[in-house]
Amino acid sequence: MNVPVNKTEDQWKKELTEEQFYVIRQKGTDRPYTGKYDQHWDSGTYECAACGAELFTSDTKFDAGCGWPSFYEALDKTKIIEHKDFSHGMVRTEVMCANCGGHLGHVFNDGPKDKTGLRYCINSTSINFYKPDSSNH
């Protein structure tokens, strides 16, 4: 995969926590209802935990009841990569950061029908949150 931020797995392993490396680089998954952003409702932006690319906004976040942060739309479709995932005996669409190729989660067609109909089911471990007017970015 050709992405702007292209590091070796050893470099990623040094920069990410063990949990982040497992989820973002090895396509792992947070346990449902355990992630810090599942029931997080502050206004702001969610970015890739590996590279800082802005991915989703709180304006498109909703409670899907699935145990993971859910969004009905990406901030910009060019910020994510989608591809078929045939792992675990299922056919799903994986969502990755277009900037670094990091695994974010999956997208499903069971989101809010009055919006896009999509549910981007994202691992809390794969994202960070910041308020645009704060200094934590």
Side-chain angles (χ1 to χ4, degrees), residues 7-70:
K7 299 179 182 181
T8 67
E9 292 306 296
D10 283 340
Q11 287 172 305
W12 284 121
K13 199 171 240 183
K14 288 176 186 166
E15 292 179 20
L16 302 173
T17 67
E18 190 175 320
E19 181 182 21
Q20 286 174 324
F21 186 80
Y22 167 68
V23 173
I24 298 170
R25 301 308 307 169
Q26 296 181 319
K27 303 180 187 289
T29 302
D30 295 339
R31 287 189 342 265
Y33 305 103
T34 63
K36 62 185 172 181
Y37 298 123
D38 178 36
Q39 294 299 313
H40 181 262
W41 303 110
D42 289 353
S43 295
T45 303
Y46 294 85
E47 63 185 15
C48 177
C51 72
E54 294 181 344
L55 303 169
F56 301 95
T57 69
S58 58
D59 294 342
T60 63
K61 191 171 188 295
F62 68 101
D63 187 358
C66 63
W68 290 274
S70 297

Side-chain angles (χ1 to χ4, degrees), residues 38-116:
D38 178 36
Q39 294 299 313
H40 181 262
W41 303 110
D42 289 353
S43 295
T45 303
Y46 294 85
E47 63 185 15
C48 177
C51 72
E54 294 181 344
L55 303 169
F56 301 95
T57 69
S58 58
D59 294 342
T60 63
K61 191 171 188 295
F62 68 101
D63 187 358
C66 63
W68 290 274
S70 297
F71 305 86
Y72 62 78
E73 187 172 49
L75 181 68
D76 177 341
K77 280 288 230 181
T78 66
K79 305 261 185 180
I80 59 171
I81 298 169
E82 296 180 8
H83 80 81
K84 291 291 180 206
D85 175 3
F86 300 99
S87 65
H88 307 292
M90 298 179 267
V91 179
R92 301 177 291 175
T93 301
E94 180 185 10
V95 179
M96 297 177 298
C97 174
N99 194 49
C100 70
H103 173 74
L104 301 171
H106 292 86
V107 62
F108 302 95
N109 291 318
D110 60 1
K113 298 299 179 210
D114 62 331
K115 305 291 184 193
T116 63

Side-chain angles (χ1 to χ4, degrees), residues 36-37 40 42-45 47 128-137:
K36 62 185 172 181
Y37 298 123
H40 181 262
D42 289 353
S43 295
T45 303
E47 63 185 15
N128 288 324
F129 172 82
Y130 75 93
K131 293 183 181 195
D133 59 350
S134 70
S135 62
N136 69 343
H137 184 254

